[in-house]
Every structure is written in structure tokens, then in C-alpha cells.
Amino acid sequence: MKIAFGNDHAAGELKPLLLELIGELGHEVIDVGVAAGEAVDYPIPGEKVGRLVACKEADLGVLVCGTGVGISLAANKVKGIRAAACSDTATARLIREHNNANVIAIGARIVGAELAKDIVKAFLTTDFSGDERHVRRISLITEAEERFGK
Ligand code: RB5
């Protein structure tokens, strides 16, 4: 898969570890985040990753900021994006199985490096279940997005 990756300056030492993991899992990375020592306001990489995924230039997105929240909020402003900030592996798996989330966000100041890697691995190795009830619920989210012309 092609994975869009974005981060702000809070990603610190976590970014190279996650890029290494994503490569080990056999994926190609499109990196729109900042390098160590550079700063950026988190909405910028959040929107960039959202656009890459929404335009199908990437299959899924991985974001990192301090909490994972701000950058996920920005990604979610792009139509078609279902981004979630995750701090545990069960949620990372369930947002794929149940919500068909297409972007995950990690808080580099919230979770340690090993847990962050496990979270990203769970996200990238889990597929959407395709169960009717989940398809129906996601359609309701999409309909809400259409109604408000996001
Ligand atoms: C940057 O200092 C910090 O605000 C940002 O990484 C993130 O935590 C916002 O949600």
C-alpha cells in the first residue's frame, strides 16, 4: 500500500521509528511531514495527508502530533476522511474493522515509542469487516458530510 505520513515538530524521535516500521511492513511512504528540527502548524500536514488519501494518491494515512488530536481534526476536515486519534491497539484495530477509518493519528507526547509502533501496525494490518451494519453506519456519516457540504 501507499501510506501518506504527516507530522509536526512534536513527532521528534518517533517519526523515524514509524517510517521504519511502515517500510518493514512492505509499504511505500509519501512523507509530507517535517524533518527533525523543523516546525510546522499541525493543520498543514493533517490536511495534506487527508487530501492524499481522499484523492486516492495514498491508501491510508498516518499522522503524528503531540496528542494526535489536533492533526486528526485537521485531516477530518477533508471530505471522505475518517481519521481517529488512537492511544491503544484495540482501538487501532477496531477503527479499521468497524469504522473503516482511513487515517490514524498518534500522540507522540501521549504514547511511548513501542506502543506507537504496535498501534500503527494494528491499524495497517487490519481490514474493514464489510459487515452490513458497519457499512450502514459509515454511510450515515457520509450522508451527514454531504448534507453540510463539507
Ligand atoms: C504542538 O506543540 C502541539 O500543540 C501539537 O503537536 C498537537 O498536540 C496539537 O493537537
Side-chain angles (χ1 to χ4, degrees):
M1 287 193 287
K2 278 191 185 170
I3 308 300
F5 187 98
N7 64 283
D8 74 0
H9 43 279
E13 294 165 11
L14 186 55
K15 176 175 181 171
L17 298 176
L18 293 182
L19 292 184
E20 185 181 15
L21 170 75
I22 295 167
E24 283 170 5
L25 291 171
H27 305 304
E28 184 183 327
V29 173
I30 305 170
D31 179 12
V32 296
V34 289
E38 292 178 2
V40 68
D41 292 329
Y42 61 79
I44 294 169
E47 181 185 352
K48 281 182 181 171
V49 164
R51 286 182 181 277
L52 285 166
V53 174
C55 295
K56 303 196 184 309
E57 287 179 45
D59 299 290
L60 293 172
V62 175
L63 293 168
V64 183
C65 72
T67 60
V69 174
I71 205 160
S72 67
L73 294 177
N76 274 320
K77 292 300 175 189
V78 179
K79 188 174 177 181
I81 292 303
R82 291 177 297 280
C86 276
S87 300
D88 66 274
T89 55
T91 305
R93 179 173 54 78
L94 288 168
I95 63 169
R96 290 289 303 133
E97 280 181 8
H98 291 192
N99 312 117
N100 201 11
N102 45 19
V103 176
I104 192 168
I106 307 288
R109 295 173 180 159
I110 304 297
V111 297
E114 288 307 312
L115 178 55
K117 286 164 61 180
D118 287 346
I119 290 168
V120 170
K121 186 172 182 180
F123 179 73
L124 295 179
T125 57
T126 305
D127 291 326
F128 177 49
S129 71
D131 290 350
E132 189 277 332
R133 68 187 194 284
H134 297 311
V135 171
R136 183 179 70 246
R137 291 163 186 163
I138 293 163
S139 295
L140 289 168
I141 295 173
T142 305
E143 286 168 27
E145 191 174 62
E146 297 293 337
R147 269 198 298 280
F148 290 93
K150 196 174 169 187

